[in-house]
Amino acid sequence: MPGLFAEVRDGDQVWRGAAGVADVATGRPVTADMRHRVGSITKTFTAAAVLQQVESGQIGLDAPIARYLPKLVPGERGDAITVRMLLNHTSGLAEYLPYAYPSLRAFPDLAETGPQSLDDHRHTRFDPVELIEMGVTAPAVGAPGGTPGVYSNTNYLLLVQLLEQVTGTTAEECVTRNVIERAGLCDTELPTGPHVDGPHSRLYESWFGMIDPPRDYSVFDMSWVGPSASLISTVADINRFFGLLLAGEIVGPSSLAQMRRTVPVVSQEGRVIDYGLGLHPMEGPARPARDPGAFWGHGGTVWGGGALAMTRADGKRQLALAVNMQRWNRLDASGRPQPHPIDAALATLCRVAMYG
């Protein structure tokens, strides 16, 4: 792992740390205040913005998406898929990424995928409606409302369109005004261009060892995920956001209770996890007997970068971490990612951070 930085909060006590380099060519060190692409942690921000519109009566949580976006999800599926199903990934809509990136078409058969499309689309400006169409027209991965659901970025691109439909503004403006600014986050933004402004690390993608040495993808047009996974933030801002969210200061108590109602969902890694509305419980590694309960948060990846946010159920202990390399696990003979010492090191970091 070239570099990692993190912030841990325990009540009023704050620890920040960094190790490694932000640029393997120059040896420039990472620092704990760097801005970073946090991937699908963005989904918690998007979900919060949607729940705010539910609170104001602009969106029905259990209303069919066809009520708002009949052209994007036509026919019976549009009537069967609700806003809640998009939020908790039980819509049955397929992931569009393997269709937008041809070299990933065989996903989840990782051995048959390749990284060529990442270079081809570094500066591609994707149309979100076209991406949604790829996911909607692809073979369904389940029946609407069925469990386990299947994690799919198609769901959240639809939620982005829903926000724009009901607010009459862009989703970026809606999330910025109602979530980012409401939380007082000074170093968090949804980017409009391919660059990360301010102090940041380069982002190195390995694609399961198929890119060797790992390649820098820190300059990348993020329209391939848009406001569902393009957020740039800092570990301090991420901890602040989740602390306020779980304290009921971003959405109301009833909305927060809805966000914490979980269903089983198959993650992109192929594991069945419990998932709420843009938020999910995360078990700390090696729980001690004194463990006060689950942690809530989200993880995120982009090409070359990753982040993780965990907040204890009582809100007192928090961890936000960022790494500047992704998919470091090489594949075994059966095409499955092999365990790597980085995995064990990250688990140790999480355990020490959350339990002391």
Side-chain angles (χ1 to χ4, degrees), residues 8 35 66 76 82 116 189 231 275 321 323 345 353:
V8 180
R35 306 180 85 229
E76 293 182 0
T82 66
Q116 300 86 348
E189 66 173 338
L231 197 74
Y275 197 94
L321 67 85
V323 294

Side-chain angles (χ1 to χ4, degrees), residues 6 10 18 79 140 168-169 182 206-207 249 314 341:
D10 187 357
D79 293 327
T169 186
R182 183 169 180 170
S206 175
W207 197 258
E249 296 186 36
D314 61 9

Side-chain angles (χ1 to χ4, degrees), residues 40-51 69 83-91 93-96 128 132 150-163 171 225-229 259 275-280 298:
S40 284
I41 288 175
T42 314
K43 289 180 172 59
T44 314
F45 287 69
T46 305
V50 170
L51 267 295
L69 303 170
V83 174
R84 183 191 299 273
M85 293 173 196
L86 298 175
L87 286 162
N88 67 13
H89 297 290
T90 59
S91 70
L93 294 172
E95 173 64 65
Y96 63 80
I132 290 169
V150 177
Y151 190 97
S152 169
N153 282 291
T154 306
N155 294 318
Y156 273 73
L157 277 193
L158 277 163
L159 291 167
V160 167
Q161 295 296 309
L162 173 62
L163 280 174
V225 283
S228 70
M259 293 182 79
Y275 197 94
L277 307 184
L279 189 68
H280 66 96
H298 213 290

Side-chain angles (χ1 to χ4, degrees), residues 203-224:
L203 302 177
Y204 298 99
E205 180 62 51
S206 175
W207 197 258
F208 307 103
M210 297 180 203
I211 308 176
D212 191 12
R215 191 171 302 138
D216 174 16
Y217 286 120
S218 50
V219 177
F220 211 99
D221 189 304
M222 295 300 291
S223 60
W224 62 280

